[in-house]
Amino acid sequence: THCQCILDTAINANFEEIQNFLLHFWQGMPEHLLPLLDNPVIVDVICASDQILYKVLTDVLIPATMQEMPENLLADIRNCAKHWEHWTASALENLPDGMAER
C-alpha cells in the first residue's frame, strides 16, 4: 500500500505529499517491527520493492515519447526528483543502520 500511495500521489501530480507518505510510513513503523529492519533478507526485499517503484515512477512521469508537457508539471517533477534523496534520508532517520545504508 505504501508504494501504491506514492505512485497514486505522483500520478495526481501532488508531489509535495510524497514526502509526507515517506515520513509517515518509516517514522510510523511500530517498535516491535524495527528489529526486522536489521535482517538483510528483509532489507533486500524492501530495496527490490523500492527499485520497482522508482522504475514505475520513471515510466509514468517521463514518458518514452517526447510529448508536450506543461512547464509547471515539468518543474514539479524536477523538484520532486531533486528532493527525493533528502526526503528518503529524513524518513529513514533513527531506523536501524542496515536500512538507512541501502
Side-chain angles (χ1 to χ4, degrees), residues 16-95:
E16 293 170 3
E17 193 63 27
I18 291 174
Q19 180 182 17
N20 295 332
F21 280 123
L22 290 170
L23 284 170
H24 175 75
F25 180 80
W26 289 111
Q27 294 301 314
M29 180 103 21
E31 281 292 319
H32 70 280
L33 294 179
L34 289 178
L36 292 174
L37 299 178
D38 280 325
N39 182 319
V41 174
I42 300 293
V43 172
D44 286 347
V45 169
I46 292 170
C47 289
S49 297
D50 282 352
Q51 288 175 343
I52 293 167
L53 172 63
Y54 303 149
K55 172 73 172 116
V56 171
L57 281 171
T58 302
D59 290 348
V60 167
L61 297 176
I62 306 169
T65 59
M66 295 304 290
Q67 59 189 21
E68 285 293 317
M69 187 178 293
E71 201 55 43
N72 60 337
L73 177 58
L74 187 57
D76 288 344
I77 292 170
R78 285 183 181 144
N79 187 51
C80 180
K82 177 181 173 184
H83 290 96
W84 187 274
E85 188 173 345
H86 174 73
W87 293 344
T88 304
S90 295
L92 294 175
E93 285 179 3
N94 304 318
L95 292 178

